[in-house]
């Protein structure tokens, strides 16, 4: 098993970025809530602990705190922002409200050599209203800003460090270097988290979990389920059967493309089921996005149970859950009330389903999943396919899900995809300046907002299509894609002329955060 860094999450919006930076070093890391148990956090593979930032004050009532077993461990610890304040407070130091809050860029000065920081003056990203006013015994200050005397602290004997700023954001000038110093030099992690090793470990874990059992693999049409199916087949061969449920909520031509891709690979072990009528009947009258996801999750399992009645006994269900699904569904580091959304293949499954889950991608980010797919020699056009949510067009059809409304958004989406492909903007790439061009994910959504229009000298009162395109590497954060205006104009013109019931097209320019990529 690879060396492991544990990130204890106190609810910072940047926590996932810490994980991404560490994975970029080819070191395995895992995000755990601050309430995690000793057994979850400290395993034989754990080489160090990072304490994330958070929105609360350490001296507030019921504030999150560092578990005692962490403070008693001999592992290196790095506290970031709230993590530094918690480390100081619980080690005997003092934390006070700052007179001058620091939000945004600040100039940090690290006057001497130390194993963590880049020496000298540098730009860092601050986001705090509290600060360490008195260091605990055994700690020294190793950096400051004009308004924060202890912007970084260190206890060299215990290998414990604190940073008041956020090294994980790209705004911090030497942020990646700082994290590498902690992970690779102080914690002495070996960079062994590679695609080949991930595949080897996944195959070993699948074989150990499944034994001599048979696995039903859920093909959804997306990248994650396809790579999951390939991994499981690599592990157990012809004891896996893949089932594709046509929910009626797929993109244009999706079912036909799935069969053309996987029939040569799986033969009779690919089962195609048309369940569209049953899905639309179950979703009739449902408009709440969480209810949609839960009903679709329930249907998802019931249809699989129905599909395999004549195919023999299957004990396991394999599905393409990835790490962002887990994080967003479980709300790691925050309360259940702040869960972002339920992913139908994480928290939306019925409790009485008869399958045991096999989820080999559960701890991978999207870019890691694609790298695994290429290592498995899957076709690049499949590996780089646009992401598609498990509930399909149901969560891109805001309001009631009907066959007619789904047909509308499907048609609009197909036009958008065609125009992006013709402009060579359907996939993401870097230009000569290192800027992301094209789209990591793009789609059309239908929103239940009608507006007045004029078409052919006639007054119309029709629905609105939203175009969404983002650039992202890990899909935990994303920026809206700067698509050419002429392209957007062409897409808009085609949609209002070719898609019945639509007279207005708008473009979503929200980043993630604060918005999510999908609308529901």
């Amino acid at each position: 098993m690879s060396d492991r860094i544990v990130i204890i999450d106190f609810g910072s919006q940047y926590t996932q970025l810490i994980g991404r930076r560490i994975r970029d070093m080819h070191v395995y890391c895992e995000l755990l809530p601050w309430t995690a148990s000793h057994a979850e956090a400290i395993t034989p593979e754990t080489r160090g602990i990072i304490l994330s930032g958070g929105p609360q004050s350490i001296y507030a009532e019921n504030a999150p705190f560092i578990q005692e077993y962490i403070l008693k461990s001999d592992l290196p610890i790095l506290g970031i922002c709230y993590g530094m304040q918690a480390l100081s407070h619980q080690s005997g130091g003092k934390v006070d409200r700052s007179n001058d809050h620091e939000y945004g860029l600040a100039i940090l000065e690290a006057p001497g050599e130390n194993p963590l920081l880049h020496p000298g003056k540098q730009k860092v990203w601050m986001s705090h209203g509290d600060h360490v006013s008195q260091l605990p015994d055994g700690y020294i200050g190793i950096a400051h800003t004009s308004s924060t005397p202890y912007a970084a602290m260190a206890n060299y004997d215990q290998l414990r460090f604190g940073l008041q700023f956020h090294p994980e954001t790209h705004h911090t000038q030497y942020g990646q270097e700082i994290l590498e110093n902690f992970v690779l030099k102080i914690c002495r992690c070996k960079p062994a988290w590679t695609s080949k090793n991930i595949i080897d470990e996944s195959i070993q874990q699948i074989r150990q979990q499944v034994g001599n059992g048979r696995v039903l693999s859920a093909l959804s049409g997306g990248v994650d389920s396809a790579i999951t199916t390939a991994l499981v087949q690599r592990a157990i061969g012809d004891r896996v059967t893949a089932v594709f449920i046509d929910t009626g909520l797929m993109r244009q031509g999706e079912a036909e493309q799935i069969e053309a891709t996987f029939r040569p690979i799986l033969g009779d072990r690919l089962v195609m089921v048309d369940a569209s009528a049953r899905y639309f009947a179950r979703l009739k009258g449902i408009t709440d996005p969480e209810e949609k996801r839960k009903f679709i999750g329930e249907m998802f399992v019931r249809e699989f149970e129905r599909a395999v009645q004549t195919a023999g006994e299957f004990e396991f269900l394999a599905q393409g859950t990835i790490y962002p699904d887990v994080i967003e569904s479980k709300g790691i580091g925050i309360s259940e009330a702040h869960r972002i959304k339920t992913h139908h293949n994480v928290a939306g499954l019925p409790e009485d389903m008869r399958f045991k889950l096999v989820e080999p991608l559960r701890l991978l980010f999207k870019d890691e999943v694609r790298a695994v797919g290429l290592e498995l020699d899957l076709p690049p056009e499949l590996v780089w396919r646009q992401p598609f949510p498990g509930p399909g067009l149901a969560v891109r059809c805001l309001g009631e899900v009907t066959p007619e409304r789904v047909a509308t958004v499907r048609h609009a989406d197909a036009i958008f995809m065609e125009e992006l492909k013709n402009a060579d903007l359907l996939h993401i790439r870097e230009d000569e300046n290192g800027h992301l061009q094209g789209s990591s994910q793009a789609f059309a959504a239908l929103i239940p907002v009608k507006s007045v229009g004029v078409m052919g000298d006639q007054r119309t009162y029709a629905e609105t299509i939203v175009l969404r395109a983002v650039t992202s590497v890990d899909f935990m954060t994303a920026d809206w894609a700067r698509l050419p205006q002429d392209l957007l104009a062409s897409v808009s013109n085609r949609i209002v002329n070719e898609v019945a019931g639509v007279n207005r097209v708008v473009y979503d320019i929200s980043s993630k955060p604060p918005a999510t990529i999908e609308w529901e």
Side-chain angles (χ1 to χ4, degrees):
M1 185 67 180
S2 303
D3 289 345
R4 175 181 187 245
I5 293 291
V6 168
I7 303 168
I8 300 297
D9 186 16
F10 291 112
S12 169
Q13 62 178 318
Y14 301 129
T15 302
Q16 292 84 2
L17 286 179
I18 305 173
R20 285 304 310 126
R21 301 294 179 253
I22 295 173
R23 294 281 183 94
D24 287 343
M25 305 173 204
H26 300 296
V27 172
Y28 177 67
C29 67
E30 195 167 343
L31 278 65
L32 296 176
W34 65 272
T35 53
S37 68
H38 185 289
E40 291 175 301
I42 300 181
T43 66
E45 298 79 24
T46 307
R47 299 289 176 262
I49 293 176
I50 295 178
L51 311 171
S52 86
Q56 300 195 45
S57 293
I58 187 62
Y59 47 76
E61 186 177 0
N62 298 321
F65 58 89
I66 306 169
Q67 301 293 325
E68 192 66 24
Y69 68 81
I70 293 176
L71 295 174
K72 288 182 177 179
S73 78
D74 57 1
L75 292 170
I77 297 174
L78 173 63
I80 297 174
C81 199
Y82 182 91
M84 171 182 174
Q85 295 162 15
L87 184 60
S88 174
H89 177 76
Q90 292 181 237
S91 300
K94 188 176 180 182
V95 177
D96 286 318
R97 192 77 176 159
S98 299
N99 292 326
D100 298 317
H101 298 181
E102 283 186 308
Y103 297 104
L105 285 174
I107 300 299
L108 179 89
E109 186 166 358
E113 293 285 342
N114 68 75
L116 183 68
L117 300 179
H118 187 93
K121 292 185 177 181
Q122 54 206 275
K123 296 177 182 178
V124 297
W125 187 258
M126 290 283 195
S127 179
H128 69 101
D130 298 335
H131 71 283
V132 174
S133 57
Q134 182 179 322
L135 292 173
D137 289 343
Y139 284 80
I140 61 170
I142 57 174
H144 62 270
T145 69
S146 60
S147 58
T148 304
Y150 303 123
M153 66 181 191
N155 182 323
Y156 293 129
D157 291 335
Q158 294 183 309
L159 293 181
R160 296 184 177 182
F161 303 85
L163 303 174
Q164 187 56 73
F165 58 92
H166 289 273
E168 67 273 26
T169 68
H170 72 273
H171 306 286
T172 295
Q173 191 172 356
Y174 298 107
Q176 186 68 15
E177 178 185 322
I178 293 168
L179 291 173
E180 288 178 358
N181 285 340
F182 180 74
V183 171
L184 301 179
K185 296 180 180 179
I186 295 171
C187 297
R188 300 180 181 274
C189 287
K190 296 185 176 104
W193 186 248
T194 64
S195 298
K196 185 180 184 306
N197 288 344
I198 291 170
I199 291 170
D200 292 342
E201 289 184 12
S202 295
I203 288 174
Q204 182 180 350
Q205 289 168 4
I206 292 168
R207 288 173 177 169
Q208 183 176 0
Q209 179 185 3
V210 172
N212 294 321
R214 299 176 71 202
V215 177
L216 190 66
S217 189
L219 271 176
S220 69
V223 175
D224 307 327
S225 67
I227 294 174
T228 294
T229 301
L231 260 179
V232 175
Q233 184 174 35
R234 178 76 66 93
I236 64 171
D238 61 7
R239 287 185 288 121
V240 58
T241 293
V243 177
F244 175 76
I245 306 293
D246 186 352
T247 63
L249 305 170
M250 312 306 293
R251 291 171 287 197
Q252 186 165 292
E254 194 109 55
E256 296 81 1
Q257 185 181 32
I258 287 296
E259 183 156 26
T261 300
F262 284 96
R263 183 67 70 190
I265 301 172
L266 297 169
D268 292 340
R269 290 183 290 113
L270 172 63
V271 179
M272 305 286 291
V273 178
D274 184 358
S276 54
R278 292 189 290 274
Y279 268 84
F280 282 119
R282 186 67 181 89
L283 291 169
K284 186 175 181 180
I286 304 301
T287 59
D288 180 79
E290 282 294 287
E291 287 190 39
K292 286 182 190 178
R293 288 179 176 271
K294 288 180 179 178
F295 287 146
I296 289 170
E298 179 184 352
M299 288 285 292
F300 171 81
V301 172
R302 300 304 175 223
E303 288 296 335
F304 271 83
E305 292 175 342
R306 184 200 303 262
V308 298
Q309 285 178 356
T310 59
E313 285 298 317
F314 289 86
E315 185 181 356
F316 299 93
L317 172 65
Q319 57 179 19
T321 306
I322 65 174
Y323 208 19
D325 299 339
V326 176
I327 293 170
E328 292 185 347
S329 290
K330 291 192 172 182
I332 289 176
I334 51 180
S335 69
E336 176 69 11
H338 289 94
R339 183 182 62 212
I340 298 170
K341 59 188 175 185
T342 295
H343 287 266
H344 84 287
N345 55 346
V346 179
L349 296 176
E351 294 180 1
D352 63 342
M353 76 170 189
R354 63 182 181 87
F355 298 112
K356 297 176 183 177
L357 290 178
V358 176
E359 299 174 307
L361 309 181
R362 186 179 179 86
L363 296 177
L364 301 185
F365 289 98
K366 177 66 80 172
D367 56 315
E368 295 173 316
V369 172
R370 294 192 195 279
V372 165
L374 294 174
E375 186 72 28
L376 288 168
D377 294 324
L378 289 176
E381 60 270 20
L382 176 63
V383 172
W384 292 103
R385 172 182 272 159
Q386 285 272 342
F388 192 56
L393 295 177
V395 292
R396 293 178 180 175
C397 181
L398 282 67
E400 187 175 9
V401 180
T402 67
E404 296 76 19
R405 297 189 78 233
V406 168
T408 296
V409 71
R410 180 185 291 119
H411 191 179
D413 184 78
I415 290 172
F416 192 21
M417 296 304 102
E418 181 183 337
E419 292 290 331
L420 285 171
K421 183 177 180 180
N422 291 341
D424 194 24
L425 294 171
L426 189 56
H427 301 296
I428 197 69
R429 64 180 186 277
E430 283 191 3
D431 63 17
E432 61 275 8
N433 298 316
H435 299 135
L436 294 177
Q437 300 294 321
S439 58
S440 305
Q441 185 169 352
F443 59 89
L446 179 66
I447 60 175
V449 174
K450 289 189 173 183
S451 61
V452 174
V454 178
M455 301 176 73
D457 295 327
Q458 297 292 320
R459 179 187 182 275
T460 62
Y461 191 57
E463 290 192 295
T464 303
I465 285 287
V466 174
L467 302 179
R468 177 77 156 143
V470 299
T471 57
S472 179
V473 174
D474 50 45
F475 289 84
M476 294 307 306
T477 62
D479 195 12
W480 60 278
R482 272 62 171 178
L483 298 180
Q485 293 184 15
D486 289 347
L487 171 70
L488 292 173
S490 177
V491 174
S492 175
N493 184 63
R494 284 192 60 189
I495 288 174
V496 297
N497 280 284
E498 299 177 30
V499 181
V502 174
N503 68 355
R504 192 176 297 270
V505 176
V506 298
Y507 188 52
D508 184 348
I509 59 170
S510 307
S511 63
K512 175 188 179 179
T516 54
I517 296 175
E518 297 287 346
W519 271 56
E520 284 192 339

